[in-house]
Amino acid sequence: MRTRRQILDAAGEVFAGIGYEKATVSDVLERSGVTKGALYFHFSSKEDIARALLAEQTPSEDLVTPQRYRLQEVVDGVIALAGRLRDDARARGCFRLCLEHGPDGKYGRDWFLERVAFNEGLLVRARERGELAAHVAVRETAEFLVSAFIGLQLMSQAVDGETDLDMEGRVGLLLRQVMPHIAVPAVCAELDFGPGRDGDASDRDKDTPDRDGAAPVPPGRGPGAPGR
Amino acid sequence: MRTRRQILDAAGEVFAGIGYEKATVSDVLERSGVTKGALYFHFSSKEDIARALLAEQTPSEDLVTPQRYRLQEVVDGVIALAGRLRDDARARGCFRLCLEHGPDGKYGRDWFLERVAFNEGLLVRARERGELAAHVAVRETAEFLVSAFIGLQLMSQAVDGETDLDMEGRVGLLLRQVMPHIAVPAVCAELDFGPGRDGDASDRDKDTPDRDGAAPVPPGRGPGAPGR
């Protein structure tokens, strides 16, 4: 599988750099260092490579581990995705691929909607547990979070350059604006917006398998309470 | 100039529909209904058409008329741009063109930065006039507004489809989240987030040529005060 990984890594880099439309199989081949025969053993076309790249993207829920508050999981998902795009050329290639096809609905629509659905699910559970302010429209807010994230990543690439993304700062501003608008104050005060919450979820709250088993948030709970 | 307009209208529609990279001069030619000779009289290449399309985009400041508060002008700019993208295929074509080249910095960077600079200028003047909360970082906020807008437009195209953009609702949510975060309460209470503020600025405050001549906001000013 090493050859396959080499090809997909190269494809991510090529797509991220010059875009999917402009990229050719030859560009991917050249960058990967594998033989033409090896590439065509694994993939039949540029489209085929793109599909494989998309299929291997980590689902949103795997970027996040269970937390005391569902809204913390929303926050963690945003931060983890930013970290993934910073560290992983394949993820950046996928992102660009999705953007180019966004308005056509070919790849982008699914990418967008998977993330919207993930956030929507968390927000529904946040509402059940009393974490969410009464006026919040769950679907609209889930779409807003994903939209703003996409725009921030684009801006970061355009302004900071592809290798020097300041998504930590940009995403921090997004979260600091959105969360006070949607969270009840007692929950908002306890949310952790990082830095440090960058997708390495392995050392946090690993021993909390039952995401929704905990009691709802007591109203008026003050800041600084320990995690479950 | 009618032929030139026909070509640019067609180019806007083609770029918006299938993207700049995929589009060919033949696609534009076919859609425009002009002769090949006429097209090549006006434009030498697809790049040439793209440059003309970009050069004819209305600058941000022309989408907004002077208002009592600079933050209202920020709001109006966001709403006007959404209206422009809804009503004008050329603007949508430009937007897609900029997105495709965003990470390369070829077209997108300028489009992004023009809008960031426009918002930054308004926010600087909003600060001078006491409209802005003390913690607000002007440049970051200007970038955030443009970023979020871009993401919302993309989401709208992906989810609503190109002909049924619900940018009014999406942009309303953006403004209702950002403005309470950045405006002092007395100003925030007086901001008008539409609907109706959709870029037809001609019937609003036309007789206020001196944008910065008015006195700063009196602290603690209540809602409902008349415009200047």
Side-chain angles (χ1 to χ4, degrees):
Chain A
M1 294 304 282
R2 193 167 153 269
T3 307
R4 194 170 183 277
R5 299 204 82 76
Q6 272 176 272
I7 297 163
L8 290 179
D9 284 343
E13 286 164 20
V14 170
F15 295 169
I18 61 172
Y20 173 73
E21 283 303 333
K22 237 186 250 172
T24 64
V25 174
S26 301
D27 294 329
V28 176
L29 184 64
E30 197 177 318
R31 186 138 197 161
S32 69
V34 308
T35 65
K36 194 168 178 175
L39 189 145
Y40 282 104
F41 174 80
H42 288 283
F43 301 104
S44 62
S45 64
K46 185 172 77 164
E47 278 222 346
D48 198 21
I49 297 173
R51 271 192 298 268
L53 210 54
L54 285 160
E56 296 204 356
Q57 286 303 290
T58 311
S60 297
E61 59 182 27
D62 291 353
L63 291 174
V64 172
T65 53
Q67 300 295 324
R68 177 177 179 78
Y69 298 116
R70 294 304 81 82
L71 290 181
Q72 184 67 56
E73 295 173 15
V74 172
V75 166
D76 289 356
V78 171
I79 294 173
L81 189 58
R84 186 60 64 111
L85 287 165
R86 179 193 60 215
D87 298 336
D88 181 349
R90 282 204 222 179
R92 279 198 301 282
C94 263
F95 180 80
R96 177 111 188 231
L97 181 61
C98 291
L99 283 182
E100 284 185 25
H101 291 82
D104 294 344
K106 196 174 168 194
Y107 301 123
R109 194 179 155 85
D110 291 346
W111 192 96
F112 288 7
L113 294 182
E114 190 264 345
R115 272 148 190 86
V116 171
F118 171 71
N119 283 314
E120 190 177 8
L122 286 178
L123 291 172
V124 164
R125 283 178 276 150
R127 165 144 292 156
E128 288 163 5
R129 295 161 57 91
E131 298 175 22
L132 221 54
H135 73 276
V136 175
V138 157
R139 174 75 187 189
E140 265 184 19
T141 302
E143 283 186 0
F144 179 81
L145 277 165
V146 177
S147 301
F149 181 91
I150 292 167
L152 291 172
Q153 177 74 18
L154 265 166
M155 177 67 76
S156 194
Q157 289 176 328
V159 173
D160 307 330
E162 215 211 310
T163 52
D164 191 29
L165 301 178
D166 178 26
M167 277 297 277
E168 197 165 82
R170 292 170 201 279
V171 150
L173 185 59
L174 168 63
L175 296 169
R176 289 196 307 276
Q177 299 206 4
V178 172
M179 285 300 154
H181 185 76
I182 69 170
V184 299
V187 172
C188 190
E190 294 198 49
L191 296 177
D192 177 2
F193 300 144
R197 296 190 86 86
D198 67 347
D200 180 15
S202 58
D203 53 357
R204 298 195 312 266
D205 291 359
K206 250 292 163 57
D207 52 344
T208 50
D210 180 9
R211 297 168 83 99
D212 289 305
V217 185
R221 177 142 199 169
R228 58 181 171 184
Chain B
M1 296 303 281
R2 193 166 152 270
T3 307
R4 194 170 183 277
R5 297 204 85 75
Q6 273 177 273
I7 296 163
L8 290 178
D9 284 343
E13 287 164 18
V14 170
F15 294 169
I18 62 172
Y20 173 74
E21 283 304 330
K22 237 186 251 172
T24 64
V25 174
S26 302
D27 293 329
V28 176
L29 184 64
E30 197 178 317
R31 185 137 195 161
S32 68
V34 308
T35 65
K36 194 166 179 177
L39 189 145
Y40 280 104
F41 173 79
H42 288 284
F43 302 103
S44 63
S45 64
K46 184 172 78 164
E47 278 223 346
D48 199 20
I49 297 174
R51 270 192 300 268
L53 210 54
L54 284 160
E56 295 204 357
Q57 286 301 290
T58 310
S60 297
E61 59 181 27
D62 292 352
L63 291 174
V64 172
T65 54
Q67 300 295 324
R68 177 177 180 78
Y69 298 117
R70 294 302 82 83
L71 290 182
Q72 185 67 57
E73 295 172 15
V74 172
V75 166
D76 289 355
V78 171
I79 295 174
L81 189 58
R84 187 59 65 109
L85 288 165
R86 179 192 59 215
D87 298 335
D88 182 348
R90 282 202 221 181
R92 278 198 302 282
C94 263
F95 180 80
R96 178 111 187 232
L97 182 61
C98 291
L99 283 183
E100 284 186 25
H101 290 84
D104 294 344
K106 197 175 169 193
Y107 301 122
R109 194 179 156 86
D110 291 345
W111 192 95
F112 288 7
L113 294 183
E114 191 263 346
R115 272 147 191 86
V116 171
F118 171 71
N119 282 314
E120 190 177 9
L122 286 177
L123 291 172
V124 165
R125 283 178 275 150
R127 165 144 291 156
E128 288 163 6
R129 295 161 56 92
E131 299 175 21
L132 221 54
H135 72 276
V136 175
V138 158
R139 174 76 188 188
E140 265 186 18
T141 302
E143 283 186 0
F144 179 81
L145 277 165
V146 177
S147 301
F149 181 91
I150 291 167
L152 291 173
Q153 177 74 17
L154 265 167
M155 178 64 77
S156 194
Q157 289 177 329
V159 173
D160 307 329
E162 214 211 311
T163 53
D164 190 28
L165 301 179
D166 178 26
M167 276 297 277
E168 197 166 83
R170 291 169 202 280
V171 150
L173 186 59
L174 168 63
L175 296 169
R176 289 197 305 277
Q177 299 205 4
V178 172
M179 286 300 153
H181 185 76
I182 70 170
V184 298
V187 171
C188 191
E190 293 198 48
L191 296 177
D192 177 1
F193 299 144
R197 296 189 87 85
D198 67 346
D200 180 14
S202 57
D203 54 357
R204 298 196 313 268
D205 289 1
K206 251 286 162 64
D207 52 344
T208 50
D210 180 9
R211 298 168 82 99
D212 288 305
V217 184
R221 175 141 201 169
R228 58 180 170 184

